[in-house]
Amino acid sequence: VEHSELDCYIKALRIDVTRADVWHNLGCGLDNEESVTIDGVNFTKRECFLEALKYDSEDGCFWSNLGEVIDETEVVAVNGSQYTR
């Protein structure tokens, strides 16, 4: 059975959901219109980046990639603080 890169990220998150780097890689692997289901919950590219920041809010790359997928007027919450693009 052949598994895709995304399948491997999903498997890794099922083992340890707190892996910020895996959330980030999963987000990078999705197209803007795509989503993945992990344990019955759907995650978009944007939501994967938010999950990455939930577990590591000090990584500039995570912030940069989130900034590319949010609208100019959108407000996002990360660890209790709100941010705009």
Side-chain angles (χ1 to χ4, degrees):
V1 174
E2 190 173 322
H3 293 283
S4 73
E5 184 177 339
L6 295 180
D7 291 334
C8 292
Y9 295 146
I10 291 166
K11 172 90 171 156
L13 290 170
R14 285 189 174 131
I15 294 168
D16 184 357
V17 74
T18 67
R19 291 287 308 268
D21 58 328
V22 178
W23 279 112
H24 176 257
N25 290 343
L26 180 58
C28 289
L30 293 174
D31 291 332
N32 287 336
E33 303 79 32
E34 277 186 299
S35 67
V36 294
T37 303
I38 301 173
D39 296 333
V41 179
N42 285 332
F43 294 92
T44 62
K45 181 180 197 85
R46 174 189 170 281
E47 290 164 337
C48 288
F49 294 145
L50 287 170
E51 287 295 309
L53 287 165
K54 180 166 78 173
Y55 298 109
D56 182 0
S57 62
E58 299 299 315
D59 191 304
C61 188
F62 299 173
W63 284 105
S64 177
N65 284 323
L66 176 63
E68 293 179 19
V69 298
I70 60 174
D71 296 332
E72 290 183 16
T73 59
E74 186 176 3
V75 177
V76 295
V78 176
N79 298 333
S81 297
Q82 294 188 340
Y83 300 90
T84 59
R85 186 170 172 195

